[in-house]
Amino acid sequence: MTLLENFRKESETICHLKNASRVLGWDQQIMMPHTAMATMVRGRQRATLSRLAHARMVDSQFADLLLRVEDHLGEDRTSDDALSLARWKRERRRATAVSGELV
């Protein structure tokens, strides 16, 4: 797998985790029964997904991947990969400012 393919795959995995949490949130607001047990279980489900996404984003391997992609892209600032890289660097900076326990 090439460097960019690896970057795209890891980005996609983090997006899937975040989007799954959003779908669960939508379901909780629209369809899910509003019982104490259902709310507790759904909260734990969303917390698990948030922790997993956060852990992947703050992982040193992801940081290394971002640096390698940045080196690979060089001066490119307009391609889809370059724009995605800028977004992920910003997202990672935010994620590293919050401890995993707070997530």
Side-chain angles (χ1 to χ4, degrees), residues 3-95:
L3 177 64
L4 289 178
E5 288 172 338
N6 193 17
F7 169 64
R8 291 174 191 141
K9 184 177 185 225
E10 186 62 23
S11 298
E12 182 179 52
T13 299
I14 295 169
C15 283
H16 286 175
L17 290 167
K18 290 181 170 195
N19 289 339
S21 181
R22 289 182 189 113
V23 169
L24 290 177
W26 173 86
D27 179 66
Q28 183 175 356
Q29 293 176 2
I30 305 301
M31 301 295 290
M32 188 182 90
H34 292 284
T35 65
M37 178 60 82
T39 301
M40 181 189 69
V41 170
R42 182 53 50 90
R44 294 200 321 227
Q45 291 168 341
R46 293 186 71 197
T48 297
L49 290 171
S50 294
R51 275 194 313 273
L52 290 171
H54 183 265
R56 288 186 92 108
M57 286 191 30
V58 301
D59 189 275
S60 61
Q61 289 180 343
F62 188 58
D64 182 55
L65 178 62
L66 294 178
L67 288 173
R68 288 186 293 134
V69 169
E70 185 173 38
D71 287 343
H72 176 77
L73 293 174
E75 297 300 316
D76 178 7
R77 300 286 181 253
T78 58
S79 70
D80 289 342
D81 287 319
L83 296 172
S84 180
L85 173 65
R87 177 181 166 261
W88 282 112
K89 285 175 61 178
R90 199 170 41 254
E91 289 288 321
R92 186 174 191 288
R93 209 171 18 256
R94 289 180 188 162

